[in-house]
Amino acid sequence: MKALAVRPGVTNSGEMIELAPPDSAEGAILVRGLAIGICGTDVEIMEGAYGQAPADDERLILGHESLGEVIEAAAGTGFSPGQLVVGVVRRPDPEPCDHCAIGEWDMCRSVHFRECGIKEQHGYAREMYRLDPQFAVAVDPRLGELGVLLEPASVVAKACMLAVHFLKRTDVRAKTALVTGAGPIGLLAALATRYYGLETHVVDVVDSGPKPDLVRDLGAHYHAGSAADLDISPEIVIECTGIGSVLRVAGAKAGPGGVVALTGISAVPATEEVNLSLFNKKMVLENKVLFGSVNAARTHYEAAARVLSEADPAWLGRLISRRVPADHWPEALERQTDDVKVVLDINPRARAA
Amino acid sequence: MKALAVRPGVTNSGEMIELAPPDSAEGAILVRGLAIGICGTDVEIMEGAYGQAPADDERLILGHESLGEVIEAAAGTGFSPGQLVVGVVRRPDPEPCDHCAIGEWDMCRSVHFRECGIKEQHGYAREMYRLDPQFAVAVDPRLGELGVLLEPASVVAKACMLAVHFLKRTDVRAKTALVTGAGPIGLLAALATRYYGLETHVVDVVDSGPKPDLVRDLGAHYHAGSAADLDISPEIVIECTGIGSVLRVAGAKAGPGGVVALTGISAVPATEEVNLSLFNKKMVLENKVLFGSVNAARTHYEAAARVLSEADPAWLGRLISRRVPADHWPEALERQTDDVKVVLDINPRARAA
């Protein structure tokens, strides 16, 4: 069977390799790979700037945003052939920390967690793989191939669930959300804040392409430019760019009592400096909360599955702006104007209806 | 009657002035001032660097950390003569924001809140004042003159209650707390984290004077120097210095998933710069929470009253390192070696037993 692999640390080392079918010891559920979503992390890994192969391998199989179809499932797994399934990305430290021991793999306090397709664990960009049921999340069959959006949606669900928990430190209900960056994470964040009933404003630099309409079609407001110019006072900010200068403006816009979720990491050279004592003073006097959120646990995949199930499938479909057959995989990793989410079709003949 | 007043913005303008007794319109509870705790904010106001007089006055009566004795209380106030009472510092915006409208004055989203003895509202450094019952907190009579510690303890209670709420985003119970700075706020924070059953480490620069023993006598660990040298992995950090370089080290020590409470503002010139994009990356990858906390609402005063009531009165008594009679007030504002909390005795003859 075929798999898309890289040699971590080596620039442009990606190649489609031939592998033996997965060993049954790898998990009680046998899955046929259908699709892989491509994100910035994949591009970084392909550039040799990120990623780590499993200890017993020189290569890392790519792909963390997945969608597959169950081929075989042992009794008691809760899965059956034909079901759509997404594999969890973050896996526990083999010597589990307090968080890993209770399924909060996303909160691992050690550096020994693993991430499929990213860190010390092979990913899902292959024709077949096996999943342990604890790492398999069932996808609503009505979502079909849109299920490939579940992993990025789980990242957003975690950040939103944390933000909502933090907002509950007061009895005042939040009304307004600001989302910075209208990439897939920002757009899914806007979907989530609309799902929570918040007036939602999305800021990005572009004023053309699909993003403005995707935002407006959620009943949210799109702004091309800087958040500094907006006359809003959001209680919640979801920062999706990871760019220091964007964070500085967005954090200030949150205003007193604001909760700022940090979800992005940027490859843009970091030049924005802040004076930490003055930053501290503003945080204190304005009762501000700033928190980072990475990855997701099962509970966040399940929350994301609910949000996606209630979303307009046509809107979700527009997030997938390009589909690339597996044989043409380099095209999936090349950024094109108006890309939102690019999906690699692993096994097109078997694609869900 | 006498009151200690300043002309905000004018350096060393403090003077003991003569005032008419308070008008009954000012509140249904008449209080005899007993004691005022002095903090860094009072020193800043005296230096002309902070503070704002009420709109109809050139002068601001100083004093926000208070203790008084009820002289008269109208029926229905819930107070009676002889009771010890502390006045709430933060008062709502006269045109209340959503938070002020429900008693969350500490979370006011406008800039029009008032603070007794600090901002647009006279303080408690006077022989008599009146309180509206909603701004009066009863003090356990067994605390006696230690009740003057209630206001700083309320600031700590708020930060700790927020930190505990934020920690509840996971099901893993926190075990270890780090407190940076062993001034009154840091020592009361250590008292609170011990009250919550946490292994507690306190870092300060001094290695002599009363602080090390005050920390150790709580069953906590005292460290002179930098938090960078400690071999601990605290889930909660309470930063009480407001100094950028201390915050940087303490924030890093918190480690993945850590919650960092910012409670201090420093007058030390701020020189510590951080790169905001790299700071963001660390926050994201480590699921970190950073939050500012200022002032307190009634609910925090009430929580603080519980913590103080269960504390060893002898230990609390050692926090008050100097008492200065009202006539010698300038001495109270001069920093001396080994000062912890300095208290101004407003009405020594009437002091609680």
Side-chain angles (χ1 to χ4, degrees):
Chain A
M1 66 167 201
K2 284 185 176 167
L4 177 56
V6 297
R7 293 180 191 274
V10 181
T11 307
N12 294 328
S13 61
E15 58 177 325
M16 200 60 84
I17 61 172
E18 194 63 37
L19 280 184
D23 189 277
S24 62
E26 291 177 30
I29 307 171
L30 180 64
V31 180
R32 175 183 292 127
L34 297 178
I36 294 295
I38 302 296
C39 88
T41 301
D42 298 304
V43 177
E44 276 190 72
I45 294 171
M46 198 56 81
E47 288 169 348
Y50 204 69
Q52 202 175 342
D56 56 358
D57 210 328
E58 285 186 330
R59 282 192 278 224
L60 171 73
I61 300 176
L62 207 66
H64 58 280
E65 300 181 7
S66 72
L67 180 68
E69 182 185 348
V70 176
I71 302 174
E72 291 171 20
T77 59
F79 284 84
S80 52
Q83 256 190 305
L84 294 178
V85 67
V86 166
V88 167
V89 174
R90 179 79 74 99
R91 302 297 176 82
D93 183 344
E95 293 179 30
C97 75
D98 288 353
H99 291 280
C100 286
I102 58 169
E104 294 182 348
W105 315 311
D106 60 310
M107 297 295 292
C108 179
R109 276 174 69 88
S110 91
V111 294
H112 301 299
F113 60 81
R114 296 172 180 189
E115 287 174 341
C116 297
I118 302 173
K119 180 177 182 291
E120 295 177 78
Q121 186 107 15
H122 286 310
Y124 300 110
R126 36 183 166 158
E127 289 178 308
M128 278 197 291
Y129 46 88
R130 283 186 169 271
L131 286 173
D132 187 283
Q134 68 173 318
F135 303 126
V137 182
V139 174
D140 186 338
R142 287 171 302 178
L143 275 178
E145 57 194 13
L146 299 173
V148 74
L149 297 171
L150 186 59
E151 196 280 336
S154 76
V155 168
V156 168
K158 176 182 171 182
C160 287
M161 287 166 81
L162 287 173
V164 166
H165 176 77
F166 295 162
L167 285 165
K168 282 188 180 155
R169 76 199 192 289
T170 94
D171 287 326
V172 174
R173 195 169 155 186
K175 297 187 194 78
T176 308
L178 168 64
V179 176
T180 49
I185 294 291
L187 289 165
L188 288 167
L191 176 70
T193 55
R194 290 298 296 149
Y195 177 87
Y196 285 121
L198 297 169
E199 177 185 314
T200 298
H201 298 260
V202 180
V203 174
D204 198 309
V205 289
V206 302
D207 59 3
S208 61
K211 292 175 177 179
D213 282 342
L214 277 165
V215 169
R216 289 184 200 115
D217 291 347
L218 291 170
H221 305 273
Y222 185 85
H223 308 274
S226 164
D229 303 325
L230 303 186
D231 185 23
I232 58 170
S233 182
E235 293 92 347
I236 166 170
V237 173
I238 305 184
E239 205 299 297
C240 306
T241 71
I243 300 170
S245 54
V246 176
L247 165 56
R248 186 178 54 72
V249 170
K253 188 53 73 176
V259 170
V260 182
L262 307 175
T263 70
I265 293 175
S266 171
V268 173
T271 55
E272 192 81 5
E273 299 265 326
V274 293
N275 182 300
L276 202 50
S277 296
L278 298 179
F279 166 87
N280 169 78
K281 183 175 180 176
K282 216 164 163 58
M283 291 279 295
V284 172
L285 291 179
E286 297 194 349
N287 286 299
K288 230 167 242 191
V289 181
L290 208 62
F291 73 91
S293 178
V294 68
N295 223 286
R298 267 200 85 89
T299 178
H300 309 118
Y301 282 81
E302 288 159 2
R306 289 192 294 275
V307 174
L308 292 185
S309 289
E310 293 192 24
D312 173 9
W315 186 87
L316 292 175
R318 288 157 63 200
L319 291 187
I320 299 175
S321 51
R322 264 198 307 143
R323 306 192 78 99
V324 177
D327 292 343
H328 295 239
W329 63 266
E331 293 170 23
L333 288 142
E334 272 164 29
R335 184 118 193 99
Q336 294 185 8
T337 312
D338 297 346
D339 270 348
V340 183
K341 174 57 70 186
V342 178
V343 165
L344 190 65
D345 277 323
I346 292 297
N347 218 325
R349 284 159 304 164
R351 195 193 301 168
Chain B
M1 66 165 202
K2 285 183 175 168
L4 176 56
V6 296
R7 292 178 192 276
V10 182
T11 308
N12 294 327
S13 62
E15 59 178 324
M16 200 58 87
I17 61 172
E18 193 65 35
L19 281 184
D23 189 275
S24 63
E26 292 176 30
I29 306 170
L30 180 63
V31 180
R32 174 183 290 130
L34 296 179
I36 294 294
I38 302 297
C39 88
T41 301
D42 298 303
V43 176
E44 275 191 73
I45 294 171
M46 197 56 81
E47 287 169 349
Y50 205 68
Q52 202 175 341
D56 56 358
D57 209 327
E58 289 186 327
R59 281 194 279 225
L60 172 73
I61 300 176
L62 207 67
H64 58 280
E65 300 181 9
S66 72
L67 179 68
E69 182 185 348
V70 176
I71 302 173
E72 291 171 23
T77 57
F79 284 85
S80 52
Q83 256 189 305
L84 294 177
V85 68
V86 165
V88 167
V89 173
R90 181 77 75 98
R91 302 296 177 82
D93 183 343
E95 293 178 30
C97 76
D98 287 353
H99 291 280
C100 286
I102 59 168
E104 294 182 349
W105 314 311
D106 59 310
M107 297 294 293
C108 179
R109 274 175 71 88
S110 91
V111 294
H112 301 300
F113 60 80
R114 295 171 181 191
E115 288 174 339
C116 298
I118 302 173
K119 179 176 183 292
E120 296 178 80
Q121 186 106 16
H122 287 311
Y124 299 110
R126 36 183 167 159
E127 289 178 309
M128 279 196 291
Y129 48 87
R130 283 185 169 273
L131 286 172
D132 187 281
Q134 70 173 316
F135 303 126
V137 182
V139 174
D140 186 336
R142 287 171 302 177
L143 275 179
E145 56 195 14
L146 299 172
V148 74
L149 298 170
L150 185 59
E151 197 281 335
S154 76
V155 169
V156 168
K158 176 182 171 184
C160 287
M161 287 166 81
L162 288 173
V164 167
H165 176 76
F166 295 162
L167 284 166
K168 281 186 181 155
R169 77 200 192 288
T170 96
D171 286 326
V172 174
R173 194 169 155 185
K175 299 185 193 81
T176 308
L178 168 65
V179 176
T180 48
I185 294 292
L187 289 165
L188 288 167
L191 176 69
T193 56
R194 290 297 296 149
Y195 177 88
Y196 285 120
L198 297 170
E199 176 184 314
T200 298
H201 297 261
V202 180
V203 174
D204 198 308
V205 288
V206 302
D207 59 3
S208 61
K211 292 172 177 180
D213 282 342
L214 277 164
V215 169
R216 288 184 201 117
D217 292 348
L218 290 170
H221 304 273
Y222 185 85
H223 308 274
S226 163
D229 303 325
L230 303 187
D231 184 23
I232 58 172
S233 182
E235 293 92 349
I236 166 171
V237 172
I238 306 184
E239 205 299 297
C240 306
T241 72
I243 300 171
S245 54
V246 176
L247 165 55
R248 187 178 53 72
V249 170
K253 188 54 75 174
V259 170
V260 182
L262 308 175
T263 69
I265 294 174
S266 172
V268 173
T271 55
E272 192 81 6
E273 301 266 327
V274 292
N275 182 300
L276 204 50
S277 296
L278 297 180
F279 166 87
N280 168 80
K281 183 175 181 178
K282 214 165 164 57
M283 293 279 295
V284 172
L285 291 179
E286 297 194 348
N287 285 299
K288 230 168 241 191
V289 181
L290 208 61
F291 74 91
S293 176
V294 69
N295 223 285
R298 266 200 85 91
T299 177
H300 309 119
Y301 283 82
E302 288 159 4
R306 288 193 293 276
V307 174
L308 292 185
S309 289
E310 292 192 23
D312 173 10
W315 186 87
L316 292 175
R318 288 158 62 200
L319 291 187
I320 299 176
S321 51
R322 263 196 308 142
R323 306 192 77 98
V324 177
D327 292 344
H328 295 238
W329 63 266
E331 293 170 23
L333 289 142
E334 276 164 24
R335 183 118 194 100
Q336 294 186 7
T337 310
D338 296 346
D339 271 349
V340 183
K341 176 56 71 184
V342 178
V343 165
L344 190 66
D345 277 322
I346 292 298
N347 218 325
R349 284 160 308 166
R351 193 194 302 169

